[in-house]
Amino acid sequence: MEDYRKYFEPRTLAKLRGLQLRAQRIVEGYVAGLHRSPYRGFSVEFAEHREYTPGDDLRYLDWKVFGRTDKYYLKQYEDETNLIGYLVLDTSESMRYRGPDSALSKFEYAQCAAAALAWLILQQQDAVGLVTFADRIRANVPPSSSASHLKRLLDVMEGTQPAAKTATGPIFHELAEQWTKRGVVVIISDLFDDLASLLAGLKHLRYRQHDVLILQVLDAAELDFPFAQPTRFRGLEGMPDTIAEPRSLRRAYRQEIDRFLHSVKRGCREREMDYCLLRTDTPLDTALSAFLARRMARVK
Amino acid sequence: MSSLSAPPLILALWSLANGWMLAWGLAAVLPLLIHLLSRRTRNTTDWAAMEFLRAAVRKNARRLRLEQWLLLALRTLVMLLVALAWAEPSVSWLPSRSPARRASGRTHTILVLDGSYSMLCANAGQRRWDAAQQRARQLVAQSVPGDGFSLILMAEPPQAVIPDVAFDGDDVQQEISNLAPTHGGAPLAAALAEVERVIRSAKERHPRLVQHRVCFFTDLGRATWEAAVSEECRRLVRELTARAAITLVDVTDREETNLAVTRLAANRLWPVAANRVTYEVAIEGFCATQTTGTRVELLVDGQRIAEQVVEVPAAGQITVNFPDSLPAAGEHVVTARIASDALGLDNTRYLSLPVQDSVHVLCVEGEQDAAKYVALALAPNRDHPGPIRVETAAESAILERNLRDFDCVWLCNVGRFGSEEANLLHRYVRGGGALVTALGDQTQADNYHQELGAASSGRRTLPAHIGLAAAGGSFRFDPAAYAHPILDPFRGRERSGLLTVPVWKYFPLAAYDPAVKVVLKFNSGDPAILEESIGRGVSVLIATSVSLSSTDVSRQPPTVWTALPTWPSFPPLVHKITQFAIGERQQGRNVLVGEPLNATLTLDNQEVSASVVTPADGAELVPLRPDGSEQTWEYTGTATAGIYRVQIGADRNRLQQFAVNLNTQESDLSRFDPSLLPDSWRDQRMAAADNRIGPAARDNWPLFRLALAGVLALLMAETVLAWRLGGAPG
């Protein structure tokens, strides 16, 4: 178990060069470990018949057709992994932050999570698309289930550097209008944006019948505020610098960030969206587990 | 109004033991500097969650500012209190805490031990000195860490054994144990002045010592303590009590009777071997009753030659005479002693007695036969010379002869002196020679005044100024009640001829100094013979001629100045003058404790030092210092009574013995009545059996402990506050 667990450790991943390698390790570890594919052997929708050939499983023989035609035809079901996954990756400047004790920046962590999810989805022969955004949509890769699609997704992710401000609300509105087929929308972001605008955008996505899974990626330092010495904090995304005495402010800051997270969670819960907080110092299997739990719930 | 109901002007009553330590208060700016520097932070980091951080800052700005100021104030106050604690503040308007303060450890005690020899008096086997040492050591042993001690021995002069403050009690006790009383007195005024000096020095060097006390360990001997009522001592004690508390530790409560040998002298005509001598021994009794059966022994060179049993009167003195003959020529020591009593040190007295083969006299004549009668009077039988060897010579002998070879030099009608001759004569007299100057018709008064008189620039050799010769007349001698010892042979013998000596001319003399003694006067009232001790020698001046060669040419026919040389009183007068001059010269052989030993030698040896062997058989070297054509040496370490032997080189003939005796004022063991002590002394007395220590002076309340407690409290408060405000420490 431990051998596989190590692939989820950010410090281990940080040593791997290349998003593809990192994603591969994550998925392999996940699949080969305790997390077994829940996808085997079930389907939910009948799609078409095909003629029986010796050796086929007789469980799937359509007896009604045989009664009518005296011919042996097998039912072919629509594979329930024909799910469309929409990966929405935040590439704003705030995602560039890496804490003093973190092995990966938020963006790198989000990249790994997105890449691993894409790999996993494609392995299950589902379709997955990718949207990167900051203050606007920077890249929009339509969903596809082809084997070569992963490389394209990874190239897009690797070729993107976090920059510019965040504008989640308008972008989610835009995406909600753009996506016609419903699917599972996995938003990987730190959600440092106007909360009302953010929730309004998410609500629009829900309105379009998408299943929304929020993976909020935050650095451990942003949650714990572990600084001890007086520090000049340089604002990202155009925010002004602030000099503060961290020891005096720690409690107050934590109160503020906790209040924000609580609001986010409540907002997601009210809109029936799944929410998962990812700390960049925690193993990445949490991200995969959250997605797969959501997928299982959808299947049922 | 009670002194505690309204504290007086605090600023005026605060005192700082180490005021300059307040300069450390400048360190109070350090927290502020650190605070300001910390705002120029070196730590910089990107921050994505700025919105939340700014919200936290905004909502807590006031609280943060207050907390920062509070911490800054605490830290600044800590530095200020530390500086104040180091400055050791104290407030004197607070009431004194206790007369037996022991807690603060900041007392400077000056231990003053009475070093007079009366402290050697023993009772039941314990000497007063031992009791004083014991009490002093006890006081040191009872001290608390931080107390300082100085140690002074009352002596002549007082000895500051520990002049600075010593904080190691063991060292102080060791010094006390190593102390020994002197064989001299203990002048109180000098001791008080030394105590004052030690306290002043301690205040400058050790300002932490805020309390000072002086403890005298003494037997309250009268000889020492009767000076306490003198104006000088009163003034010194007044000044002292303003700085320190004084305690008298009386180490004895009883008076002792005592007998002492107070004088030993050899009464002889000439210090010549086999000459008759009478040793005079004075015994003094310091007791209320007569003492009988006192055995007095006389020893010469350690051999007992005689003893007598006498009765010593109560509070009186008896002189015991021991007739004898002088021993052979050489250095001799005569010892007189009585049986030991409570104070044995003064039961023995010494006399250094150098004996010669003969007395050498040089008669210098300014004209032929000017000294003829003097030489004849001293040595009438040239074929069978007696104890006096006379040599007659012309004026040139002053330069040609070594005057030190002569016990006495007569200058008879010498006309004038050159500077070199005057120098030699002065050095001769100053170094212990006996000079007799007889004037005459050759005398040039101006030259005498210039070369041998007061105009000689510190080289005065004569006792009087010589005026112009008086006009002729007829004069006789006036013995002035035979007061002077030179005239002793003539007392009661008016028919001896002294009173009938005709004198027709003389020089009027005016004494230079009130110390000059008149031996004999003329019936005109003018002095005829004057004598004065100059240096260690004696100078006698005779106003008229001692020969028949002096002629008064103003008369017709010319007449002699005087018939004195032909008068029957002349030989005894010459003898007595010579004998007196020789006997009275201070050869320095018999001195008192504390007085220096010195001598003058002719410059005929290659030695550079003299070896001095003390009574304790200690040996010391003293340098020989050249003084013109002579050498001198001086030894000042005569702290112990006894015989000191001084040898120049290896020649045993150059051994000299010196007797150092006690100044017997301390032999009176009567105690000074303490009720006669001034008030400042009386209130501080502590009896022998009383172990209480008097209150220390200037009982200030040290506040540095409060300041340090404040520092501790502030540090704790700062730590707690910083932890509370900052969450996890550091």
Side-chain angles (χ1 to χ4, degrees):
Chain A
M1 179 196 314
E2 288 184 11
D3 288 340
Y4 301 120
R5 291 285 302 172
K6 73 179 181 184
Y7 292 120
F8 306 140
E9 293 292 335
R11 295 198 182 277
T12 307
L13 290 173
K15 298 175 186 174
L16 302 179
R17 292 286 177 262
L19 186 57
Q20 180 171 348
L21 187 59
R22 291 177 180 176
Q24 181 181 354
R25 287 288 182 268
I26 295 169
V27 172
E28 285 176 354
Y30 193 85
V31 171
L34 293 177
H35 310 279
R36 304 175 67 183
S37 171
Y39 305 139
R40 297 184 192 149
F42 73 90
S43 63
V44 290
E45 286 191 25
F46 170 74
E48 61 185 9
H49 289 101
R50 71 174 174 85
E51 193 168 353
Y52 172 80
T53 56
D56 288 334
D57 191 345
L58 290 175
R59 284 187 296 170
Y60 300 110
L61 195 67
D62 192 347
W63 296 106
K64 288 182 182 175
V65 172
F66 175 71
R68 284 200 306 269
T69 63
D70 284 335
K71 291 184 179 175
Y72 297 103
Y73 287 91
L74 289 175
K75 291 181 182 177
Q76 266 194 316
Y77 293 91
E78 183 174 4
D79 194 335
E80 69 93 21
T81 57
N82 282 336
L83 165 146
I84 298 176
Y86 298 100
L87 299 178
V88 183
L89 180 62
D90 186 350
T91 60
S92 64
E93 191 182 14
S94 63
M95 292 293 287
R96 182 163 63 84
Y97 177 74
R98 183 165 71 112
D101 295 326
S102 301
L104 300 172
S105 67
K106 288 192 294 186
F107 182 67
E108 290 170 340
Y109 192 94
Q111 275 182 326
C112 291
L117 284 172
W119 193 310
L120 194 62
I121 294 171
L122 288 171
Q123 260 201 348
Q124 301 307 314
Q125 296 170 359
D126 285 331
V128 61
L130 174 67
V131 172
T132 61
F133 74 96
D135 55 347
R136 56 181 173 81
I137 294 175
R138 301 172 70 181
N140 192 346
V141 180
S144 170
S145 59
S146 66
S148 63
H149 188 60
L150 177 63
K151 184 176 182 311
R152 186 179 173 200
L153 294 178
L154 296 180
D155 287 343
V156 170
M157 282 190 263
E158 278 187 311
T160 305
Q161 291 300 322
K165 293 185 180 181
T166 308
T168 53
I171 287 169
F172 292 166
H173 283 299
E174 184 179 342
L175 291 175
E177 291 298 324
Q178 191 179 101
W179 291 331
T180 54
K181 288 187 179 178
R182 55 190 213 108
V184 177
V185 179
V186 181
I187 299 173
I188 308 173
S189 170
D190 55 11
L191 302 182
F192 284 165
D193 196 8
D194 177 66
L195 187 60
S197 171
L198 165 69
L199 291 175
L202 292 173
K203 184 178 178 183
H204 195 171
L205 285 171
R206 283 294 296 142
Y207 178 73
R208 291 296 186 183
Q209 301 296 315
H210 294 291
D211 284 332
V212 180
L213 171 61
I214 308 293
L215 298 179
Q216 186 174 20
V217 179
L218 292 177
D219 192 276
E222 290 172 328
L223 292 167
D224 300 332
F225 205 60
F227 306 97
Q229 301 300 324
T231 305
R232 174 186 290 274
F233 296 91
R234 281 200 294 260
L236 300 178
E237 299 188 13
M239 293 288 278
D241 295 355
T242 298
I243 297 174
E245 170 61 57
R247 283 181 292 184
S248 302
L249 276 175
R250 185 174 297 122
R251 186 180 304 165
Y253 170 83
R254 283 177 178 173
Q255 286 175 350
E256 292 296 324
I257 195 82
D258 287 344
R259 189 179 303 120
F260 170 72
L261 294 177
H262 179 72
S263 299
V264 169
K265 286 180 194 174
R266 188 178 60 198
C268 292
R269 188 169 58 249
E270 286 172 354
R271 290 158 184 75
E272 295 181 349
M273 294 183 287
D274 286 333
Y275 170 86
C276 180
L277 176 62
L278 299 181
R279 289 170 60 112
T280 57
D281 60 348
T282 57
L284 270 155
D285 59 337
T286 309
L288 301 183
S289 299
F291 171 78
L292 291 172
R294 181 61 195 165
R295 190 192 184 291
M296 287 176 66
R298 187 169 183 276
V299 167
K300 292 180 183 165
Chain B
M1 184 169 92
S2 160
S3 63
L4 296 179
S5 62
L9 183 58
I10 293 177
L11 285 178
L13 293 175
W14 276 75
S15 64
L16 299 171
N18 295 319
W20 62 273
M21 281 290 190
L22 282 178
W24 284 102
L26 293 174
V29 302
L30 279 178
L32 181 61
L33 283 176
I34 293 171
H35 174 72
L36 293 175
L37 285 173
S38 69
R39 295 180 68 82
R40 298 175 53 192
T41 59
R42 293 185 184 175
N43 293 342
T44 305
T45 183
D46 292 338
W47 188 247
M50 186 59 76
E51 179 186 342
F52 311 107
L53 180 62
R54 288 172 63 82
V57 169
R58 190 172 56 249
K59 291 177 183 177
N60 295 273
R62 188 176 177 184
R63 177 185 64 83
L64 289 173
R65 204 176 306 121
L66 270 173
E67 289 170 359
Q68 291 298 323
W69 279 111
L70 184 58
L71 278 175
L72 190 63
L74 281 176
R75 289 161 184 162
T76 304
L77 202 55
V78 163
M79 303 304 292
L80 287 174
L81 278 181
V82 167
L84 187 62
W86 281 349
E88 294 196 42
S90 60
V91 178
S92 59
W93 54 266
L94 292 172
S96 177
R97 286 170 287 171
S98 163
R101 177 212 60 83
R102 284 246 184 253
S104 77
R106 292 282 186 249
T107 302
H108 174 216
T109 302
I110 299 101
L111 305 168
V112 185
L113 272 68
D114 186 344
S116 61
Y117 72 78
S118 66
M119 293 288 284
L120 290 171
C121 178
N123 179 265
Q126 186 188 40
R127 302 178 305 176
R128 295 174 180 179
W129 175 256
D130 298 331
Q133 283 181 307
Q134 186 179 351
R135 299 295 300 277
R137 283 196 297 263
Q138 187 180 13
L139 179 61
V140 175
Q142 290 172 350
S143 66
V144 296
D147 284 353
F149 293 89
S150 297
L151 181 60
I152 296 174
L153 179 69
M154 289 177 70
E156 291 182 278
Q159 301 172 23
V161 180
I162 303 178
D164 197 358
V165 182
F167 295 94
D168 189 330
D170 291 339
D171 282 351
V172 175
Q173 291 192 52
Q174 186 64 43
E175 289 290 348
I176 294 171
S177 300
N178 293 342
L179 271 182
T182 68
H183 285 187
L188 182 60
L192 290 172
E194 185 65 22
V195 169
E196 174 73 21
R197 193 195 64 75
V198 167
I199 291 178
R200 214 174 323 114
S201 171
K203 279 179 175 289
E204 289 174 9
R205 290 167 173 257
H206 306 279
R208 292 179 301 146
L209 298 171
V210 297
Q211 302 179 52
H212 302 268
R213 63 180 177 187
V214 185
C215 292
F216 286 86
F217 297 86
T218 177
D219 59 357
L220 279 176
R222 180 190 303 276
T224 298
W225 287 92
E226 61 185 358
V229 298
S230 68
E231 194 50 47
E232 184 186 8
C233 285
R234 285 174 183 269
R235 176 185 60 80
L236 288 169
V237 169
R238 270 198 307 273
E239 291 173 1
L240 199 55
T241 49
R243 298 171 183 266
I246 304 178
T247 303
L248 291 183
V249 180
D250 191 356
V251 297
T252 184
D253 53 3
R254 51 181 290 168
E255 290 190 354
E256 299 284 348
T257 58
N258 186 37
L259 296 178
V261 180
T262 56
R263 192 173 72 90
L264 173 61
N267 190 353
R268 73 279 187 268
L269 289 175
W270 303 108
V272 174
N275 225 257
R276 300 297 301 172
V277 62
T278 300
Y279 297 112
E280 297 175 352
V281 181
I283 311 295
E284 190 160 351
F286 302 98
C287 20
T289 57
Q290 181 178 352
T291 307
T292 58
T294 301
R295 188 184 303 276
V296 182
E297 294 179 305
L298 189 75
L299 301 87
V300 176
D301 296 331
Q303 299 293 323
R304 191 172 68 177
I305 62 166
E307 76 173 35
Q308 295 184 35
V309 177
V310 299
E311 293 178 358
V312 181
Q317 178 184 295
I318 181 174
T319 301
V320 184
N321 295 322
F322 292 88
D324 195 16
S325 301
L326 287 174
E331 294 282 327
H332 301 280
V333 171
V334 180
T335 307
R337 69 183 179 207
I338 59 177
S340 183
D341 52 13
L343 181 61
L345 184 66
D346 56 5
N347 294 350
T348 305
R349 202 159 186 91
Y350 307 94
L351 176 70
S352 174
L353 188 66
V355 178
Q356 303 166 212
D357 288 320
S358 58
V359 172
H360 295 176
V361 179
L362 175 66
C363 295
V364 177
E365 49 190 17
E367 62 176 353
Q368 190 171 5
D369 293 336
K372 170 178 145 184
Y373 293 93
V374 170
L376 196 61
L378 290 174
N381 194 338
R382 293 298 176 94
D383 296 329
H384 295 90
I388 305 175
R389 303 285 175 89
V390 179
E391 184 175 329
T392 305
E395 295 174 33
S396 59
I398 298 175
L399 290 175
E400 294 168 356
R401 303 300 304 276
N402 182 357
L403 299 182
R404 287 274 170 239
D405 292 340
F406 300 94
D407 299 292
C408 182
V409 172
W410 277 80
L411 302 174
C412 303
N413 200 16
V414 173
R416 55 181 291 115
F417 300 92
S419 292
E420 185 58 30
E421 291 168 328
N423 271 339
L424 289 172
L425 288 170
H426 178 71
R427 201 174 287 136
Y428 169 73
V429 173
R430 195 186 63 197
L435 180 68
V436 184
T437 306
L439 306 177
D441 61 355
Q442 302 295 314
T443 300
Q444 298 177 27
D446 288 345
N447 174 267
Y448 273 58
H449 178 67
Q450 186 68 34
E451 297 295 340
L452 301 177
S456 59
S457 303
R459 215 178 43 191
R460 184 168 71 80
T461 310
L462 295 179
H465 177 268
I466 304 169
L468 294 173
S474 181
F475 306 97
R476 297 289 185 272
F477 287 132
D478 177 358
Y482 303 95
H484 199 280
I486 287 179
L487 301 183
D488 281 349
F490 304 98
R491 186 183 298 112
R493 298 183 172 88
E494 283 72 13
R495 298 178 63 161
S496 62
L498 180 67
L499 304 178
T500 60
V501 175
V503 177
W504 293 283
K505 197 161 186 178
Y506 64 88
F507 277 99
L509 303 178
Y512 285 124
D513 193 280
V516 173
K517 297 185 183 66
V518 177
V519 179
L520 189 64
K521 294 192 298 186
F522 293 111
N523 57 357
S524 63
D526 290 332
I529 301 177
L530 296 173
E531 63 92 0
E532 183 187 16
S533 295
I534 295 178
R536 294 201 300 272
V538 174
S539 178
V540 181
L541 183 59
I542 304 174
T544 187
S545 174
V546 293
S547 71
L548 299 176
S549 59
S550 290
T551 310
D552 182 6
V553 297
S554 67
R555 285 177 167 234
Q556 288 301 328
T559 59
V560 294
W561 277 35
T562 176
L564 176 62
T566 64
W567 229 247
S569 57
F570 182 70
L573 184 62
V574 168
H575 268 250
K576 204 60 189 170
I577 289 173
T578 306
Q579 186 184 79
F580 173 83
I582 292 174
E584 284 301 308
R585 56 189 175 152
Q586 298 295 323
Q587 290 188 323
R589 294 304 193 94
N590 295 282
V591 300
L592 297 179
V593 168
E595 294 178 351
L597 306 178
N598 47 41
T600 303
L601 314 167
T602 54
L603 194 67
D604 61 351
N605 70 91
Q606 302 300 318
E607 301 299 327
V608 296
S609 62
S611 169
V612 178
V613 178
T614 66
D617 288 329
E620 296 179 40
L621 291 177
V622 290
L624 298 178
R625 292 192 173 83
D627 182 12
S629 60
E630 299 174 319
Q631 284 178 311
T632 62
W633 61 265
E634 184 174 85
Y635 175 73
T636 58
T638 55
T640 306
I643 297 296
Y644 291 71
R645 296 176 177 77
V646 180
Q647 182 151 351
I648 313 295
D651 186 1
R652 295 288 300 173
N653 292 330
R654 306 201 74 172
L655 172 70
Q656 291 180 323
Q657 297 186 105
F658 295 78
V660 176
N661 288 297
L662 301 175
N663 182 340
T664 54
Q665 61 179 0
E666 282 288 330
S667 294
D668 183 359
L669 297 179
S670 59
R671 286 161 54 80
F672 182 73
D673 185 357
S675 65
L676 298 178
L677 286 171
D679 290 344
S680 53
W681 285 104
R682 256 189 287 132
D683 290 342
Q684 310 292 339
R685 279 196 58 239
M686 193 168 105
D690 192 344
N691 286 321
R692 286 180 298 110
I693 304 296
R698 303 181 68 81
D699 209 0
N700 293 335
W701 283 73
L703 296 179
F704 75 95
R705 293 176 187 270
L706 288 177
L708 287 178
V711 168
L712 186 61
L714 285 175
L715 284 174
M716 290 172 62
E718 193 271 347
T719 303
V720 170
L721 188 61
W723 171 72
R724 287 270 307 174
L725 300 179

